[in-house]
């Protein structure tokens, strides 16, 4: 892959970058990567520190890393332009973490005076970000859908109407939606309800943020283009480390009017890194053709499941509506013995969950073996 010029990005457009121009491209493995092992957990390749360092060295030697200046310009700007085009947004801004990307999106969308923000009770922003929106941006949060991946339009309407009619007006200004929802094993927000909620929000003048940390793998599983999913939302966040294999980082995309000056706010929160190129070069390397490669991995997993279907020792529990995770129960085999035997055959399993089931995660490493061969390894290890 050569460096992406702005002209090439704009000429290709979202479809070209997502599944057309880049649909048949393949990211070369990192120098020194064990390209034969299949890692059945996590969303990405699971690159080691040494593998990431060797890949950065190779990209630098090939002249594919232009240094940035306090997270502006250079390869960081290339990354931002590439993701803006793929996501169908006017602008994108690099952030060192998804926590900051989500918070600054909600903060900017709420505007002066704050207002309230609705989000899922099971979302990352509500559970894993230290109440950053409330504490640092003074925006009250209203969580909905406790114990579920999604909430309903009726729940949203109830909050909007109740807060608008309070003794002190503090209306809902923002709705943030995460999909897939990691705390619910990769469940997605059901599209029909999502369409109703986003349509209602537009009618009410409520702005929308998409926590799409795993949006690209959702696209590979659903067949829906990332730009189409992101279209109703004002802003969208995508993780760079979960499956684009960066050491850290996030992308926040949206309208120019909102994001052109966002680097000032980023610095205000202590996130204007003097050099962000290590976090930008790796995901820029893996972005071309990602959805096509991940879709192939999903197809491999489906064929693997079918191959195990005739063996009573194996049972699969689907997660609906799910993405790249499923549960595999193996009867009559000690889990640690099974893991050891498979490790010796080049397959790495996660630790079993309560009840002995394995929560398996599909990622690009599933492309390293034929599904029939993977099924054979499992049957052999379970003997």
């Amino acid at each position: 892959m050569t460096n992406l010029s702005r002209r090439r990005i704009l000429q290709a457009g979202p479809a070209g970058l997502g599944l057309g121009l880049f649909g048949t491209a393949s990211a070369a493995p990192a120098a020194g990567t064990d390209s034969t092992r299949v890692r059945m957990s996590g969303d990405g390749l699971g690159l080691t520190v040494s593998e990431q360092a060797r890949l950065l060295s190779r990209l630098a030697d090939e002249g594919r890393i232009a240094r940035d200046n306090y997270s502006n310009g250079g390869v960081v700007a290339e990354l931002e332009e590439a993701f803006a085009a793929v996501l169908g947004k006017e602008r994108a801004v690099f952030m060192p973490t998804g926590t900051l990307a989500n918070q600054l999106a909600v903060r900017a969308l709420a505007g002066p005076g704050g207002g309230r923000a609705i989000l899922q009770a099971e979302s990352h922003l509500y559970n894993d970000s230290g109440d950053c929106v409330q504490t640092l941006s003074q925006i009250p949060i209203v969580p909905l859908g406790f114990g579920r991946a999604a909430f309903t339009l009726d729940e949203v309407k109830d909050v909007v109407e109740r807060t608008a009619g309070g003794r002190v007006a503090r209306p809902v200004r923002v709705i943030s939606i995460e999909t897939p929802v990691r705390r619910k094993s990769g469940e997605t927000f059901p599209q029909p309800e999502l369409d109703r909620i986003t349509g209602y929000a537009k009618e009410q003048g409520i702005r929308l943020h998409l926590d799409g940390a795993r949006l690209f793998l959702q696209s590979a599983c659903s067949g829906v283009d990332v730009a189409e999913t992101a279209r109703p939302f004002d802003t969208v966040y995508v993780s760079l480390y979960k499956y684009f294999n960066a050491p850290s980082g996030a992308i926040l995309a949206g309208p120019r009017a909102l994001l052109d000056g966002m680097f000032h706010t980023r610095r205000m929160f202590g996130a204007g890194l003097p050099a962000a190129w290590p976090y930008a070069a790796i995901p820029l390397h893996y972005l071309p053709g990602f959805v096509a490669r991940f879709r192939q991995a999903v197809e491999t997993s489906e064929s693997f499941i079918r191959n195990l279907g005739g063996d009573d020792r194996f049972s699969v529990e689907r997660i609906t509506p799910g993405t790249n995770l499923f549960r595999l129960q193996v009867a009559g085999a000690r889990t640690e013995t099974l893991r050891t035997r498979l490790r010796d055959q080049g397959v790495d399993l996660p630790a079993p969950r309560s009840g002995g089931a394995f929560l398996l995660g599909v990622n690009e490493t599933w492309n390293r073996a034929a599904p029939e061969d993977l099924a054979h390894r499992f049957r052999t290890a379970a003997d």
Side-chain angles (χ1 to χ4, degrees):
M1 171 186 156
T2 59
N3 284 344
L4 295 173
S5 69
R6 178 172 176 78
R7 177 175 298 176
R8 178 181 171 190
I9 291 169
L10 294 177
Q11 286 176 341
L17 283 166
L19 295 174
L21 173 64
F22 286 174
T24 57
S26 60
T33 300
D34 184 346
S35 58
T36 62
R37 298 197 70 81
V38 178
R39 177 175 175 261
M40 292 191 169
S41 64
D43 302 320
L45 296 173
L47 300 182
T48 66
V49 172
S50 295
E51 289 168 346
Q52 288 176 328
R54 284 192 288 269
L55 175 58
L56 284 170
S57 179
R58 193 186 87 199
L59 295 175
D61 290 343
E62 294 173 357
R64 294 164 58 187
I65 303 179
R67 192 179 184 89
D68 61 288
N69 182 31
Y70 284 92
S71 305
N72 292 316
V75 71
V76 173
E78 294 178 44
L79 180 79
E80 291 172 340
E81 291 174 351
F83 270 93
V86 174
L87 292 166
K89 301 300 184 184
E90 295 177 340
R91 181 79 160 86
V93 178
F94 168 82
M95 296 287 172
T97 67
T99 296
L100 185 63
N102 277 329
Q103 183 195 171
L104 295 194
V106 172
R107 176 189 178 96
L109 292 173
R116 288 183 167 93
I118 291 175
L119 43 68
Q120 292 129 298
E122 304 302 321
S123 68
H124 181 277
L125 184 55
Y126 184 65
N127 291 281
D128 306 299
S129 300
D131 296 331
C132 61
V133 174
Q134 304 97 303
T135 304
L136 301 178
S137 296
Q138 292 80 52
I139 298 171
I141 292 296
V142 182
L144 296 178
F146 285 89
R148 294 175 278 134
F151 47 75
T152 66
L153 175 58
D154 287 342
E155 290 175 288
V156 172
K157 284 182 175 180
D158 178 66
V159 172
V160 171
E161 292 167 3
R162 184 158 37 84
T163 56
R167 288 180 179 271
V168 178
R170 198 74 188 268
V172 173
R173 299 292 188 199
V174 184
I175 297 175
S176 174
I177 289 176
E178 177 184 333
T179 187
V181 182
R182 189 59 171 185
R183 280 180 168 268
K184 298 302 293 181
S185 300
E187 283 187 46
T188 60
F189 203 110
Q191 193 61 48
E193 198 66 25
L194 185 62
D195 291 340
R196 286 190 285 270
I197 291 170
T198 56
Y200 171 77
K202 297 292 185 183
E203 293 172 1
Q204 298 296 314
I206 299 171
R207 307 186 82 178
L208 294 160
H209 172 62
L210 174 61
D211 178 343
R214 295 174 172 84
L215 179 60
F216 280 76
L217 67 81
Q218 176 176 314
S219 174
C221 295
S222 68
V224 179
D225 185 69
V226 291
E228 178 60 25
T229 302
R231 182 185 53 77
F233 294 86
D234 298 281
T235 55
V236 53
Y237 142 63
V238 175
S239 175
L240 297 179
Y241 81 89
K242 288 179 170 64
Y243 46 88
F244 288 117
N245 308 302
S248 185
I251 280 290
L252 178 62
R256 285 191 176 279
L258 195 74
L259 298 185
D260 267 349
M262 184 65 79
F263 68 94
H264 292 297
T265 312
R266 181 180 64 190
R267 175 173 284 195
M268 180 176 67
F269 276 80
L273 305 181
W277 58 264
Y279 309 110
I282 291 178
L284 186 60
H285 170 70
Y286 283 107
L287 174 60
F290 172 82
V291 171
R293 296 193 307 273
F294 208 97
R295 184 171 295 161
Q296 179 183 339
V298 171
E299 291 171 356
T300 296
S301 71
E302 291 297 323
S303 183
F304 163 77
I305 291 171
R306 288 194 296 271
N307 270 273
L308 288 181
D311 193 322
D312 292 339
R313 294 175 297 176
F314 301 96
S315 59
V316 170
E317 180 188 348
R318 302 283 189 169
I319 296 166
T320 306
T323 46
N324 67 320
L325 300 176
F326 64 93
R327 297 182 182 90
L328 178 69
Q329 188 85 46
V330 185
R334 297 182 61 182
T335 55
E336 284 307 314
T337 300
L338 182 73
R339 291 180 74 199
T340 300
R341 290 176 176 176
L342 283 169
R343 188 182 304 121
D344 292 342
Q345 297 185 61
V347 177
D348 296 323
L349 288 186
R353 299 296 178 99
S354 59
F358 294 97
L359 182 64
L360 300 188
V362 179
N363 52 57
E364 286 193 63
T365 68
W366 286 65
N367 291 329
R368 296 172 177 172
E372 299 83 3
D373 178 48
L374 285 176
H376 175 71
R377 296 186 209 181
F378 269 75
R379 285 192 291 267
T380 301
D383 287 341

